[in-house]
Coordinates of all heavy atoms in Angstrom, one line a residue:
E69 N 114.6 94.4 91.1 CA 115.5 94.3 90.0 C 116.9 94.8 90.4 O 117.0 95.4 91.5 CB 115.0 95.2 88.8 CG 113.6 94.9 88.3 CD 113.2 95.9 87.3 OE1 113.9 96.0 86.3 OE2 112.2 96.5 87.5
P70 N 117.9 94.5 89.6 CA 119.2 95.1 90.0 C 119.2 96.6 90.3 O 118.5 97.3 89.6 CB 120.1 94.8 88.7 CG 119.4 93.6 88.1 CD 117.9 93.8 88.4
E71 N 119.9 97.0 91.3 CA 119.8 98.4 91.8 C 120.1 99.4 90.7 O 119.5 100.4 90.6 CB 120.7 98.5 93.0 CG 120.5 99.9 93.7 CD 119.1 100.1 94.2 OE1 118.5 99.2 94.7 OE2 118.7 101.3 94.2
E72 N 121.1 99.1 89.9 CA 121.5 100.0 88.8 C 120.3 100.3 87.9 O 120.1 101.4 87.5 CB 122.7 99.5 88.1 CG 123.2 100.4 87.0 CD 124.4 99.9 86.3 OE1 124.9 98.8 86.7 OE2 124.9 100.5 85.4
Q73 N 119.6 99.2 87.5 CA 118.5 99.3 86.5 C 117.4 100.1 87.2 O 116.8 101.0 86.5 CB 118.0 98.0 86.1 CG 116.9 98.0 85.0 CD 116.5 96.6 84.6 OE1 117.0 95.6 85.1 NE2 115.7 96.6 83.6
V74 N 117.1 99.8 88.4 CA 116.0 100.5 89.1 C 116.4 102.0 89.2 O 115.5 102.9 89.0 CB 115.8 99.9 90.5 CG1 114.9 100.8 91.3 CG2 115.3 98.5 90.4
S75 N 117.6 102.3 89.5 CA 118.0 103.7 89.7 C 117.8 104.5 88.4 O 117.4 105.6 88.4 CB 119.5 103.8 90.1 OG 119.6 103.2 91.4
V76 N 118.2 103.9 87.3 CA 118.0 104.5 86.0 C 116.6 104.8 85.7 O 116.2 105.9 85.2 CB 118.6 103.6 84.8 CG1 118.2 104.2 83.5 CG2 120.1 103.6 85.0
R77 N 115.7 103.9 86.0 CA 114.3 104.1 85.8 C 113.7 105.2 86.7 O 112.9 106.1 86.3 CB 113.5 102.8 86.0 CG 113.8 101.8 84.9 CD 113.0 100.5 85.1 NE 113.1 99.6 84.0 CZ 112.5 98.5 83.9 NH1 111.7 98.1 84.8 NH2 112.8 97.7 82.8
K78 N 114.1 105.2 88.0 CA 113.7 106.2 88.9 C 114.1 107.6 88.5 O 113.4 108.6 88.6 CB 114.1 105.9 90.3 CG 113.3 104.7 91.0 CD 113.8 104.5 92.4 CE 113.0 103.4 93.0 NZ 113.4 103.1 94.4
L79 N 115.4 107.7 88.0 CA 115.9 108.9 87.6 C 115.1 109.5 86.4 O 114.9 110.7 86.3 CB 117.4 108.8 87.2 CG 118.1 110.1 86.8 CD1 118.0 111.2 87.9 CD2 119.6 109.8 86.4
A80 N 114.8 108.6 85.5 CA 114.0 109.0 84.3 C 112.6 109.6 84.7 O 112.2 110.6 84.2 CB 113.8 107.9 83.3
I81 N 112.0 108.9 85.7 CA 110.7 109.3 86.2 C 110.9 110.7 86.9 O 110.1 111.6 86.7 CB 110.2 108.3 87.2 CG1 109.8 107.0 86.4 CG2 108.9 108.8 87.9 CD1 109.5 105.8 87.3
A82 N 111.9 110.8 87.7 CA 112.2 112.0 88.4 C 112.4 113.2 87.5 O 111.9 114.3 87.7 CB 113.4 111.9 89.4
K83 N 113.2 113.0 86.4 CA 113.4 114.1 85.4 C 112.1 114.5 84.8 O 111.9 115.8 84.6 CB 114.4 113.6 84.4 CG 115.8 113.5 84.9 CD 116.8 113.1 83.7 CE 118.2 113.0 84.2 NZ 119.1 112.5 83.1
A84 N 111.2 113.6 84.5 CA 110.0 114.0 83.9 C 109.1 114.7 84.8 O 108.4 115.7 84.5 CB 109.2 112.7 83.4
A85 N 109.2 114.4 86.1 CA 108.4 115.1 87.2 C 108.9 116.5 87.4 O 108.2 117.4 87.5 CB 108.4 114.2 88.4
A86 N 110.3 116.6 87.5 CA 110.9 117.9 87.7 C 110.6 118.9 86.6 O 110.5 120.1 86.8 CB 112.4 117.7 87.9
A87 N 110.4 118.4 85.4 CA 110.1 119.3 84.2 C 108.8 119.9 84.4 O 108.5 121.0 83.7 CB 110.2 118.5 82.9
R88 N 107.9 119.4 85.2 CA 106.6 120.0 85.4 C 106.5 121.1 86.5 O 105.5 121.7 86.7 CB 105.6 118.9 85.8 CG 105.6 117.7 84.8 CD 104.7 116.6 85.3 NE 103.3 116.9 85.0 CZ 102.7 116.7 83.8 NH1 103.3 116.1 82.9 NH2 101.4 117.1 83.6
I89 N 107.6 121.2 87.2 CA 107.7 122.2 88.3 C 108.2 123.5 87.8 O 109.3 123.6 87.2 CB 108.6 121.6 89.5 CG1 108.0 120.3 90.0 CG2 108.6 122.6 90.6 CD1 108.9 119.6 91.0
R90 N 107.5 124.6 88.1 CA 108.0 125.9 87.8 C 108.5 126.7 89.0 O 108.2 126.3 90.1 CB 106.8 126.7 87.2 CG 106.2 126.0 85.9 CD 107.2 126.1 84.7 NE 106.7 125.4 83.5 CZ 107.1 124.2 83.2 NH1 108.0 123.6 83.9 NH2 106.6 123.6 82.1
D91 N 109.2 127.7 88.7 CA 109.7 128.6 89.8 C 108.5 129.1 90.7 O 107.4 129.3 90.1 CB 110.5 129.8 89.3 CG 111.8 129.4 88.7 OD1 112.3 128.3 88.9 OD2 112.4 130.3 88.0
H92 N 108.7 129.1 92.0 CA 107.7 129.6 92.9 C 106.5 128.7 93.1 O 105.5 129.1 93.7 CB 107.2 131.1 92.5 CG 108.4 132.0 92.3 ND1 109.1 132.5 93.4 CD2 108.9 132.6 91.2 CE1 110.1 133.3 92.9 NE2 109.9 133.4 91.6
N93 N 106.6 127.5 92.6 CA 105.5 126.6 92.8 C 105.4 126.1 94.3 O 106.4 126.1 95.0 CB 105.7 125.3 92.0 CG 105.0 125.4 90.6 OD1 104.7 126.5 90.1 ND2 104.8 124.3 89.9
R94 N 104.2 125.8 94.7 CA 104.0 125.3 96.0 C 103.7 123.8 95.9 O 102.7 123.5 95.2 CB 102.8 126.0 96.7 CG 103.0 127.5 96.9 CD 101.7 128.2 97.1 NE 101.1 127.8 98.3 CZ 101.3 128.4 99.5 NH1 102.1 129.4 99.6 NH2 100.6 127.9 100.6
I95 N 104.6 122.9 96.3 CA 104.4 121.5 96.1 C 104.5 120.7 97.4 O 105.0 121.1 98.4 CB 105.5 121.0 95.1 CG1 106.9 121.1 95.7 CG2 105.5 121.8 93.8 CD1 108.0 120.5 94.9
I96 N 103.9 119.5 97.3 CA 104.1 118.5 98.3 C 104.9 117.3 97.8 O 104.6 116.8 96.6 CB 102.7 117.9 98.8 CG1 101.8 119.1 99.2 CG2 102.9 116.9 99.9 CD1 100.3 118.6 99.5
I97 N 105.8 116.8 98.5 CA 106.6 115.6 98.2 C 106.3 114.6 99.3 O 106.7 114.8 100.4 CB 108.1 115.9 98.0 CG1 108.3 117.0 96.9 CG2 108.8 114.6 97.7 CD1 109.8 117.3 96.7
D98 N 105.7 113.5 98.9 CA 105.4 112.5 99.8 C 106.6 111.6 100.1 O 107.6 111.7 99.4 CB 104.2 111.6 99.3 CG 103.7 110.6 100.3 OD1 103.8 110.9 101.5 OD2 103.1 109.6 99.9
S99 N 106.5 110.8 101.1 CA 107.7 109.9 101.5 C 107.8 108.8 100.4 O 106.8 108.5 99.7 CB 107.4 109.3 102.8 OG 106.2 108.5 102.8
G100 N 109.0 108.2 100.3 CA 109.2 107.2 99.3 C 110.5 107.4 98.5 O 110.9 108.5 98.3
S101 N 111.1 106.3 98.1 CA 112.4 106.4 97.3 C 112.2 107.0 96.0 O 113.1 107.8 95.5 CB 113.0 105.0 97.2 OG 112.1 104.1 96.5
T102 N 111.1 106.8 95.3 CA 110.9 107.3 93.9 C 110.7 108.8 94.0 O 111.3 109.6 93.2 CB 109.8 106.6 93.2 OG1 110.0 105.2 93.2 CG2 109.7 107.1 91.8
T103 N 109.8 109.3 94.9 CA 109.6 110.7 95.1 C 110.9 111.4 95.6 O 111.2 112.5 95.2 CB 108.5 111.0 96.0 OG1 108.6 110.2 97.2 CG2 107.1 110.6 95.4
A104 N 111.6 110.7 96.4 CA 112.9 111.4 97.0 C 113.9 111.6 95.9 O 114.7 112.5 95.9 CB 113.5 110.5 98.0
S105 N 113.9 110.8 94.8 CA 114.8 110.9 93.7 C 114.6 112.3 92.9 O 115.4 112.7 92.2 CB 114.7 109.8 92.7 OG 113.4 109.7 92.1
L106 N 113.4 112.9 93.2 CA 113.1 114.1 92.5 C 113.9 115.3 93.1 O 114.2 116.3 92.4 CB 111.6 114.4 92.7 CG 111.0 115.8 92.3 CD1 111.1 116.0 90.8 CD2 109.5 115.8 92.8
I107 N 114.3 115.2 94.4 CA 114.8 116.3 95.1 C 116.1 116.9 94.5 O 116.3 118.1 94.4 CB 115.0 116.0 96.6 CG1 113.7 115.6 97.2 CG2 115.7 117.1 97.4 CD1 113.7 115.0 98.6
S108 N 117.0 116.0 94.1 CA 118.3 116.5 93.6 C 118.2 117.2 92.3 O 119.1 117.9 91.9 CB 119.2 115.2 93.4 OG 118.7 114.4 92.4
L109 N 117.0 117.2 91.7 CA 116.8 117.9 90.4 C 116.1 119.2 90.6 O 115.7 119.9 89.6 CB 115.9 117.0 89.5 CG 116.5 115.6 89.2 CD1 115.4 114.8 88.4 CD2 117.8 115.7 88.4
L110 N 115.9 119.7 91.8 CA 115.2 120.9 92.1 C 116.1 122.1 92.3 O 115.6 123.2 92.6 CB 114.3 120.7 93.4 CG 113.2 119.6 93.3 CD1 112.4 119.6 94.6 CD2 112.3 119.9 92.1
N111 N 117.4 121.9 92.2 CA 118.3 123.0 92.5 C 118.2 124.2 91.6 O 118.6 125.3 91.9 CB 119.8 122.5 92.5 CG 120.4 122.5 93.9 OD1 120.1 123.4 94.7 ND2 121.3 121.5 94.1
D112 N 117.7 124.0 90.4 CA 117.5 125.1 89.4 C 116.2 125.8 89.5 O 115.8 126.6 88.7 CB 117.8 124.6 88.0 CG 116.8 123.6 87.5 OD1 116.1 123.0 88.4 OD2 116.7 123.4 86.3
K113 N 115.3 125.3 90.5 CA 114.0 125.9 90.7 C 114.1 127.0 91.8 O 114.7 126.7 92.8 CB 113.0 124.9 91.1 CG 113.0 123.6 90.2 CD 112.6 123.8 88.8 CE 112.6 122.5 88.0 NZ 112.1 122.7 86.6
H114 N 113.5 128.1 91.6 CA 113.7 129.2 92.5 C 112.3 129.5 93.2 O 111.3 129.4 92.6 CB 114.2 130.5 91.8 CG 115.5 130.3 91.2 ND1 116.7 130.1 91.9 CD2 115.9 130.1 89.9 CE1 117.7 129.9 91.1 NE2 117.2 129.9 89.8
G115 N 112.4 129.9 94.5 CA 111.2 130.3 95.2 C 110.2 129.2 95.5 O 109.1 129.4 95.8
L116 N 110.7 127.9 95.6 CA 109.8 126.8 95.8 C 109.4 126.8 97.3 O 110.1 127.2 98.2 CB 110.5 125.5 95.5 CG 110.8 125.2 94.1 CD1 111.4 123.8 94.0 CD2 109.5 125.2 93.2
I117 N 108.1 126.4 97.5 CA 107.6 126.1 98.9 C 107.3 124.6 98.8 O 106.5 124.2 98.0 CB 106.4 127.0 99.2 CG1 106.8 128.4 99.2 CG2 105.8 126.5 100.6 CD1 105.6 129.4 99.5
V118 N 107.9 123.9 99.7 CA 107.8 122.4 99.7 C 107.3 121.9 101.1 O 107.9 122.1 102.1 CB 109.1 121.7 99.3 CG1 108.8 120.2 99.1 CG2 109.7 122.3 98.1
M119 N 106.2 121.2 101.0 CA 105.6 120.5 102.2 C 106.0 119.0 102.1 O 105.9 118.4 101.0 CB 104.1 120.7 102.3 CG 103.4 119.9 103.4 SD 103.6 120.5 105.0 CE 102.3 121.8 105.0
T120 N 106.3 118.4 103.2 CA 106.6 117.0 103.2 C 106.2 116.4 104.6 O 106.2 117.1 105.6 CB 108.0 116.6 102.9 OG1 108.1 115.2 102.7 CG2 109.0 117.1 103.9
N121 N 105.9 115.1 104.6 CA 105.7 114.4 105.9 C 106.9 113.4 106.2 O 106.8 112.6 107.1 CB 104.4 113.6 105.8 CG 104.4 112.5 104.8 OD1 105.1 112.6 103.7 ND2 103.7 111.4 105.0
S122 N 108.0 113.6 105.4 CA 109.1 112.6 105.5 C 110.3 113.4 106.0 O 110.7 114.4 105.5 CB 109.4 112.0 104.1 OG 110.7 111.4 104.1
L123 N 111.0 112.8 107.1 CA 112.2 113.4 107.6 C 113.3 113.3 106.5 O 114.2 114.2 106.4 CB 112.6 112.7 108.9 CG 111.8 113.0 110.1 CD1 112.3 112.2 111.3 CD2 111.8 114.5 110.4
N124 N 113.4 112.1 105.8 CA 114.4 112.0 104.8 C 114.3 113.0 103.7 O 115.3 113.6 103.2 CB 114.3 110.5 104.2 CG 114.7 109.5 105.1 OD1 115.5 109.7 106.1 ND2 114.2 108.3 104.9
V125 N 113.1 113.2 103.2 CA 112.8 114.3 102.2 C 113.2 115.6 102.8 O 113.8 116.4 102.1 CB 111.4 114.2 101.8 CG1 111.1 115.4 100.9 CG2 111.1 113.0 101.0
A126 N 112.8 115.9 104.0 CA 113.1 117.2 104.6 C 114.6 117.5 104.7 O 115.1 118.5 104.3 CB 112.5 117.3 106.0

Side-chain angles (χ1 to χ4, degrees):
E69 299 177 58
E71 187 61 34
E72 183 178 355
Q73 183 178 6
V74 171
S75 297
V76 168
R77 290 183 175 182
K78 286 182 178 178
L79 182 58
I81 293 167
K83 286 181 177 179
R88 308 178 75 87
I89 301 173
R90 301 289 177 260
D91 290 347
H92 307 289
N93 271 16
R94 301 162 62 91
I95 66 176
I96 304 173
I97 301 179
D98 191 24
S99 59
S101 59
T102 305
T103 49
S105 65
L106 171 65
I107 298 168
S108 63
L109 303 174
L110 298 181
N111 250 326
D112 62 342
K113 314 292 183 180
H114 301 287
L116 292 182
I117 297 176
V118 187
M119 171 78 81
T120 187
N121 62 331
S122 166
L123 290 177
N124 290 335
V125 170

